[in-house]
Amino acid sequence: MASKYDNMSFENLLVSTDNGIRTITINRPDKLNALNKKTVQEIGQAIAQASAEPALKGIIITGAGPKSFVAGADISEFIGLSPAEGMKMAQEGQRVFQSIENCPKPVIAAVNGFALGGGCELAMACHLRVAATNAKFGQPEVNLGLIAGYGGTQRLTQYVGKAKSFELHMTADMLTAEQALQMSLVNYVTSPEELIAKCVGILEKIATKSPMAVAGVIASVNAYYEEGVDGYKKEIEEFGKCFATEDFKEGTAAFLEKRKAEFKGK
Ligand code: COA
């Protein structure tokens, strides 16, 4: 099932849809898929489009070529920026990455090589991460006299804890896929050949559940990390909202009738 949004006028993204799963591929392989401003903007557009398509089951974000997911923000665009321009760049990156985190559909990063700086931050903004055995994760900004700006100091701390986050940001050390798995930074490690199939398998499994409930899970888990938001209250609200959905009626009826639920996402 293709979509009208497939490969529509993006300069640096390839977008395709297969059986209700949207794959967004960052496509600057000769720059190891470094995120220039245009690419960040296009990721925002692609996520907004995907969020608004009821038929989509979920989204995979990956990088073009065999070597790199995303090797960071495009360093060539940093030259000559003022502090105010640097802040604007970080604000825009954070806005787009938050839109991934808040996407009501499941988003999986298929990490097929270097996930450094903004690439590690992009992967961390996704709900789940599957890493190929050749994946490398790191926040090497201190090598450039910089720090992470697209949410990396916050999300890495959330995933691996304060001590390891300090270490990784301050030493710029890279993690292998296996180390990232041990630290719960990634959900699974696969061979490069099996990477996309593993992501598709996870999204197919989630697609058998209620899309309304899955969106409630995303909103509630995210609330744990939101400044000034009581996650327990958010969970109460989202739990209550479920009772107004057709999915809830279908899910409970199917259980009592001993049949498989057919959710419509309403
Ligand atoms: N921004 C801009 N260009 C980048 C880039 C980035 N973050 N990462 C890689 N590239 C470019 C290189 O400049 C090179 O371009 P060129 O062929 O026109 O010279 C091309 O991608 C290939 O990279 P190269 O360094 O030759 O590959 P490598 O295999 O020797 O090294 C890395 C791979 C990832 C270790 C190395 O590219 C690197 O350290 N990149 C920067 C990582 C980083 O600091 N990211 C955080 C940015 S805030």
Side-chain angles (χ1 to χ4, degrees):
M1 181 192 70
S3 156
K4 65 178 176 171
Y5 294 116
D6 288 2
N7 286 331
M8 79 174 254
S9 65
F10 288 118
E11 196 174 297
N12 299 322
L13 303 181
L14 299 173
V15 175
S16 63
T17 312
D18 189 17
N19 196 23
I21 294 175
R22 171 73 38 88
T23 300
I24 299 171
T25 305
I26 319 293
N27 188 33
R28 300 182 75 213
D30 53 338
K31 295 290 173 194
L32 302 185
N33 305 318
L35 298 177
N36 58 7
K37 275 192 213 159
K38 179 83 182 166
T39 309
V40 171
Q41 188 191 56
E42 289 185 347
I43 293 170
Q45 287 167 357
I47 292 295
Q49 284 167 0
S51 300
E53 278 184 79
L56 276 192
K57 298 172 182 172
I59 301 161
I60 296 170
I61 299 182
T62 194
K67 194 170 161 183
S68 183
F69 173 71
V70 166
D74 190 322
I75 296 167
S76 67
E77 288 189 349
F78 291 158
I79 311 304
L81 291 188
S82 67
E85 288 165 334
M87 280 177 67
K88 198 158 171 265
M89 184 181 225
Q91 270 163 357
E92 179 57 11
Q94 289 197 13
R95 185 189 66 76
V96 168
F97 286 12
Q98 270 160 13
S99 77
I100 297 171
E101 191 164 57
N102 292 325
C103 178
K105 296 171 192 295
V107 187
I108 304 186
V111 184
N112 58 320
F114 291 114
L116 302 177
C120 189
E121 292 170 297
L122 174 62
M124 291 193 294
C126 298
H127 302 128
L128 306 178
R129 281 147 297 287
V130 180
T133 42
N134 66 328
K136 288 265 168 38
F137 296 83
Q139 297 289 161
E141 290 89 348
V142 286
N143 289 331
L144 304 167
L146 283 172
I147 67 165
Y150 295 174
T153 60
Q154 305 305 294
R155 290 196 182 93
L156 189 60
T157 309
Q158 290 163 11
Y159 288 118
V160 305
K162 192 173 178 182
K164 274 289 165 194
S165 180
F166 268 138
E167 182 184 339
L168 292 167
H169 282 285
M170 293 197 285
T171 62
D173 281 352
M174 284 191 215
L175 297 174
T176 62
E178 207 49 53
Q179 288 169 323
L181 182 66
Q182 277 160 23
M183 287 182 198
S184 300
L185 180 57
V186 303
N187 298 75
Y188 296 97
V189 177
T190 70
S191 67
E193 298 74 32
E194 288 163 331
L195 178 64
I196 297 297
K198 178 70 186 173
C199 297
V200 168
I202 296 169
L203 290 175
E204 291 289 3
K205 181 189 271 190
I206 297 172
T208 64
K209 320 300 176 194
S210 155
M212 301 300 281
V214 168
V217 168
I218 292 170
S220 300
V221 173
N222 280 340
Y224 178 87
Y225 300 99
E226 273 168 47
E227 179 90 23
V229 173
D230 181 335
Y232 288 97
K233 281 199 185 130
K234 182 72 177 168
E235 185 183 277
I236 289 169
E237 274 170 35
E238 293 292 332
F239 180 78
K241 269 163 62 178
C242 294
F243 290 84
T245 65
E246 285 180 29
D247 279 1
F248 162 73
K249 289 185 194 107
E250 168 62 11
T252 44
F255 177 80
L256 295 173
E257 291 161 21
K258 301 191 188 304
R259 62 175 173 83
K260 204 167 158 286
E262 295 286 340
F263 292 115
K264 299 215 163 58
K266 289 183 186 166

